[in-house]
Amino acid sequence: MAQSKAKKERCRIVREGGLNPELQRLHWNGVIPVERKTPTLSEKQERLQRKHKQKWNRTLQSSDGSILRSGA
């Protein structure tokens, strides 16, 4: 199979003593960017519920808005 012009140019630069640009590219360290997924709606809601303190999160308490006060 034939080499592209860019590959030929890179090989020529390396052959003449220049730096190989393939060595300067970043390493992904095992991370495959194609497999990264955005969070689903349920994951977003769980993160929002855990973000704030539970006592201030109205979605976990009763929705009538009343406050129970015990008098001593």
Side-chain angles (χ1 to χ4, degrees):
M1 196 163 159
Q3 291 182 343
S4 65
K5 290 181 183 180
K7 176 82 175 190
K8 289 179 186 178
E9 185 68 23
R10 288 194 305 267
C11 291
R12 184 185 64 80
I13 291 172
V14 171
R15 188 173 57 241
E16 292 177 355
L19 292 174
N20 187 0
E22 293 176 357
L23 299 176
Q24 296 174 346
R25 294 180 185 147
L26 295 175
H27 298 286
W28 287 90
N29 294 329
V31 175
I32 301 172
V34 177
E35 292 183 357
R36 179 70 182 117
K37 64 180 184 75
T38 58
T40 60
L41 179 62
S42 60
E43 290 174 348
K44 287 180 185 178
Q45 289 174 345
E46 289 175 13
R47 187 176 301 139
L48 184 63
Q49 287 178 358
R50 283 185 268 120
K51 181 177 179 181
H52 304 288
K53 292 183 179 179
Q54 297 293 332
K55 66 179 182 178
W56 298 115
N57 195 347
R58 296 270 183 204
T59 59
L60 297 178
Q61 296 177 355
S62 62
S63 62
D64 59 356
S66 62
I67 299 174
L68 178 63
R69 184 175 176 188
S70 61

